[in-house]
Amino acid sequence: MKKTKTLKDSFGIVKVPTNKYWGIQTQRSKENFTINDEKIPYALIQALALIKKSCALANLQAKKIDVKKANLICHVADEILTGKLDDNFPLSVWQTGSGTQTNMNVNEVIANRAKWIDKTINVHPNDHVNMSQSSNDVFPSAIHVMGVLLTNEKLLPSLDNLIKSFEILIKSFSNIVKVGRTHLQDATPIKLSQEFSSYVTMLKTSKKMINNALSTLYEIPIGGTAVGTGVNAPKNFDKLVCTNLKKFTNLSFKPIANKFAGLSSKDCVSFFHSALKVLAENLFKIANDIRWLSSGPNCGIGEIYIPQNEQGSSIMPGKVNPTQCESMMMLCIQTISNDVAIAMANTQGNFQLNTFMPLIACNLNQSINLLADGMNSFATKCVIGIKPNKKRIKTNLDHNLMLATSLNTKIGYDKAAIIVKLAIKEGISLKQAAIQSGYLSEKEFNKIVNPNNMI
């Protein structure tokens, strides 16, 4: 049986586990919101710890707190950042929409851990750890900090890795001519390298979009406190906090110009996540193309081989499936769904505060991690192992009736169309149909129809 201690506040008495550092507000939230198993992501807890550390130093610089308390707050914040206290943050995503309970969870853990380290110093969760702050400016600031850190440390490196993996393939595909496809139907020829070059450009475009949108997350509403007016915060507190954050992260955070907007609207997060959505859309298309191109082995398109990572069926021996493609496509759908939820949550900035922020934070964290982990897996377990099936590529190219497009300039579109329809009807080659139609001799056909001249 777990040991508990009895704590009391203006709301009454609550029993709290003795082996945890959280306090009465955390415990109440834990008991009041036993909804599913989604917890506030630890990346957000770490962002909150960074903010608490930066605020403690800002309060010290503003001479609102003594050096011993500030140092203790910073010390415990560092412990949170290293994961030392990660079992002290139990709260559900499905809590108050302002994230107040999670802010207080961090405040209580820091205060109680600080008192455990030095019992001679009384660090209060509200009066000291939360000094010059409100959940209403701290929580949205933490969402921005989390998004910036995860994107720079995880998402962009994964995206760069995937881009490089495709660029390596393109070099080896430069001399391979294959069938192009539009509407899932045969089209004029294309190089395999040209087909894959579109993937690189799509990913690089997504990277530009992400970086452009990411710039808005560097602006944080810290210092706005409860409603944006900055009540109870010292002059230039926002600038001091951002300077400290830059010192700890080497990233240029700055105060948002209008804190009323920063508290009531989550448009910067919504805008940023929309760039993640576009990346997900591009990744879905790329993974689906590769799934189609590798379909087979004998009865599909089969123009490329992908790595065979595991058995594909519990009943069909030897079957191998495009599992990395399917995994990527599923996580892309989840990311796109997250974007809808964030967009809806952003509409709920009633008056001076948006009250759907835990949902926004959770979805943002999930999308970044899904995309980053998914791209790394896709690159290392699929893309770098792709090989061309040159025999199938040549067979498909030889049977491509859309090579007739090159006949347009010689005999016109209508006659070329008659040749194609004849080839389909009789089940013969394009060359045979051209000769049988009487519109071209074999010599003329060979001179005009050359896939290498059509790319």
Side-chain angles (χ1 to χ4, degrees):
M1 187 174 181
K2 292 181 179 178
K3 293 182 179 180
T4 61
K5 56 187 175 183
T6 300
L7 300 179
K8 183 180 180 181
D9 64 5
S10 60
F11 271 77
I13 295 173
V14 173
K15 290 184 178 180
V16 180
T18 56
N19 64 335
K20 303 297 182 184
Y21 290 110
W22 69 68
I24 195 167
Q25 293 198 48
T26 303
Q27 188 64 30
R28 277 208 184 89
S29 179
K30 188 174 184 295
E31 294 172 1
N32 287 334
F33 299 100
T34 55
I35 303 171
N36 213 329
D37 57 359
E38 295 98 344
K39 305 300 181 187
I40 291 291
Y42 198 70
L44 185 71
I45 299 297
Q46 291 177 310
L48 285 165
L50 268 172
I51 289 171
K52 296 299 174 182
K53 182 179 179 180
S54 299
C55 287
L57 291 181
N59 283 317
L60 178 63
Q61 292 161 327
K63 299 180 180 179
K64 289 193 67 179
I65 193 173
D66 65 69
V67 67
K68 289 184 178 180
K69 287 188 176 72
N71 286 342
L72 275 172
I73 292 170
C74 291
H75 176 81
V76 181
D78 285 337
E79 290 186 334
I80 294 173
L81 291 170
T82 60
K84 184 175 181 179
L85 304 176
D86 61 359
D87 60 346
N88 283 274
F89 304 98
L91 298 188
S92 172
V93 169
W94 315 111
Q95 56 171 276
T96 178
S98 62
T100 298
Q101 278 104 27
T102 289
N103 180 43
M104 283 308 304
N105 183 192
V106 174
N107 290 337
E108 289 178 339
V109 169
I110 291 176
N112 290 330
R113 173 64 177 165
K115 284 184 279 188
W116 187 90
I117 293 171
D118 191 336
K119 295 178 176 59
T120 67
I121 300 176
N122 181 33
V123 177
H124 192 278
N126 297 80
D127 296 338
H128 303 128
V129 186
N130 201 60
M131 180 183 286
S132 308
Q133 306 154 57
S134 165
S135 301
N136 299 352
D137 65 341
V138 166
F139 202 87
S141 295
I143 294 175
H144 283 216
V145 171
M146 178 190 72
V148 169
L149 291 175
L150 285 176
T151 301
N152 281 296
E153 295 172 2
K154 192 169 184 180
L155 181 72
L156 291 176
S158 297
L159 180 52
D160 286 337
N161 180 47
L162 182 57
I163 290 171
K164 289 177 183 177
S165 298
F166 275 117
E167 287 176 336
I168 292 171
L169 289 182
I170 290 171
K171 292 179 181 179
S172 63
F173 291 168
S174 60
N175 296 319
I176 301 173
V177 180
K178 64 180 292 290
V179 176
R181 293 180 177 87
T182 58
H183 301 269
L184 296 181
Q185 305 295 308
D186 301 345
T188 55
I190 187 175
K191 284 185 179 182
L192 188 57
S193 58
Q194 291 173 325
E195 187 165 45
F196 275 65
S197 72
S198 71
Y199 305 154
V200 170
T201 298
M202 289 161 63
L203 294 174
K204 287 183 176 180
T205 299
S206 288
K207 182 179 177 181
K208 289 179 183 178
M209 292 178 180
I210 288 169
N211 278 322
N212 287 339
L214 185 64
S215 64
T216 66
L217 294 189
Y218 283 91
E219 298 182 357
I220 62 175
I222 197 70
T225 64
V227 294
T229 60
V231 62
N232 287 0
K235 186 178 180 181
N236 293 323
F237 180 74
D238 53 353
K239 295 177 182 177
L240 291 172
V241 174
C242 288
T243 298
N244 293 332
L245 273 175
K246 183 177 181 181
K247 176 182 175 183
F248 300 139
T249 64
N250 291 319
L251 295 168
S252 299
F253 292 99
K254 59 183 179 180
I256 196 167
N258 188 305
K259 293 180 176 59
F260 305 105
L263 269 59
S264 62
S265 174
K266 298 285 114 8
D267 53 4
C268 293
V269 181
S270 185
F271 177 51
F272 173 72
H273 196 277
S274 68
L276 300 183
K277 178 178 69 74
V278 173
L279 173 60
E281 292 165 357
N282 284 339
L283 288 169
F284 189 101
K285 178 266 193 297
I286 292 167
N288 201 28
D289 274 9
I290 290 173
R291 184 171 68 144
W292 275 101
L293 290 171
S294 64
S295 61
N298 294 330
C299 302
I301 293 175
E303 292 180 345
I304 61 173
Y305 299 112
I306 58 175
Q308 299 187 3
N309 297 324
E310 63 269 315
Q311 293 178 340
S313 174
S314 61
I315 188 173
M316 293 175 282
K319 192 172 191 294
V320 178
N321 297 327
T323 53
Q324 289 294 321
C325 295
E326 292 164 355
S327 174
M328 173 61 78
M329 292 162 72
M330 285 191 289
L331 68 88
C332 287
I333 290 173
Q334 184 61 56
T335 300
I336 294 167
S337 300
N338 286 348
D339 193 71
V340 175
I342 288 175
M344 287 301 300
N346 183 41
T347 67
Q348 298 304 305
N350 303 127
F351 305 113
Q352 277 69 62
L353 184 67
N354 181 286
T355 52
F356 286 70
M357 288 190 287
L359 166 67
I360 292 172
C362 180
N363 282 11
L364 177 63
N365 174 75
Q366 185 187 49
S367 293
I368 294 175
N369 281 298
L370 279 177
L371 291 170
D373 293 342
M375 286 188 292
N376 273 335
S377 181
F378 193 53
T380 58
K381 300 291 176 61
C382 181
V383 174
I384 61 173
I386 291 175
K387 306 290 183 186
N389 182 346
K390 294 182 179 180
K391 183 178 180 181
R392 178 65 66 84
I393 288 173
K394 186 178 186 306
T395 298
N396 288 344
L397 185 62
D398 290 344
H399 287 83
N400 182 14
L401 298 179
M402 292 307 104
L403 295 176
T405 303
S406 59
L407 299 176
N408 290 354
T409 56
K410 177 68 176 179
I411 61 175
Y413 179 94
D414 291 336
K415 290 180 180 178
I418 291 172
I419 292 173
V420 171
K421 290 183 179 297
L422 178 63
I424 294 172
K425 180 182 178 181
E426 301 293 334
I428 58 179
S429 69
L430 187 67
K431 180 190 288 189
Q432 290 172 320
I435 296 170
Q436 187 173 316
S437 70
Y439 294 135
L440 292 164
S441 66
E442 181 176 1
K443 183 178 180 180
E444 289 174 319
F445 182 91
N446 290 337
K447 183 178 180 181
I448 298 169
V449 180
N450 184 342
N452 291 319
N453 294 335
M454 300 178 71
I455 54 175

